[in-house]
Amino acid sequence: MVLPQVSKSENLQEVGRKIRHYREKKKMSQLELAEAIGVTQNTIYLIETAQSEMKLEKLFRIAEVLDVTPNKLLPGEAKTESNKFFEFEHMMKQLSEADQELIFNMVMPCMKRLLPNT
C-alpha cells in the first residue's frame, strides 16, 4: 500500500484535529482530557494545534479516554487487517464478560466452518 506523501507538520495537524474532534464529540474539555491521561491542559492544546509531538503511549492513552481506536486518530485513511482486529478487540473490551462470552460463542462456530482444518 502506498500512502500519499505529506509533511510531518501536516500529519501532526491531522492528528491534532482528530483528537479535538473526538474530544468535543465526547463533550470533554482540554482540561478533562489532560487530567484523564495525566498531563497538563497546555500539553493537550499543543498536541491539538500541532505544536507538539507525542509518543505512541500518549496517543494510546488519549484514544482509550476518547473511546476510539488509536487508528482513528492517525493520519490518512489507510486500513489494514490488523487494524480491523484491533478495533474488534477494543470494542470487545468495552463489553461485560458475559457479553464477551456471548459474542465469542457466536463467532467461533462461523470461524470453524470457514477454517475447518484449524
Side-chain angles (χ1 to χ4, degrees), residues 4-15 17 50 53 75:
Q5 292 294 315
V6 293
S7 72
K8 185 176 180 180
S9 174
E10 290 172 316
N11 283 334
L12 288 174
Q13 289 171 359
E14 186 172 351
V15 170
R17 279 193 303 270
E53 296 181 29

Side-chain angles (χ1 to χ4, degrees), residues 2 7 13 24 43 51 58 76 87 89 109 111 117:
V2 177
S7 72
Q13 289 171 359
E24 290 176 344
T43 298
Q51 297 178 54
K58 193 175 294 176
E87 190 163 352
E89 180 184 22
M111 294 299 289
N117 296 330

Side-chain angles (χ1 to χ4, degrees), residues 73-86:
L73 301 178
L74 295 175
E77 297 295 323
K79 297 278 184 189
T80 66
E81 293 302 315
S82 63
N83 291 350
K84 291 176 186 175
F85 295 123
F86 185 86

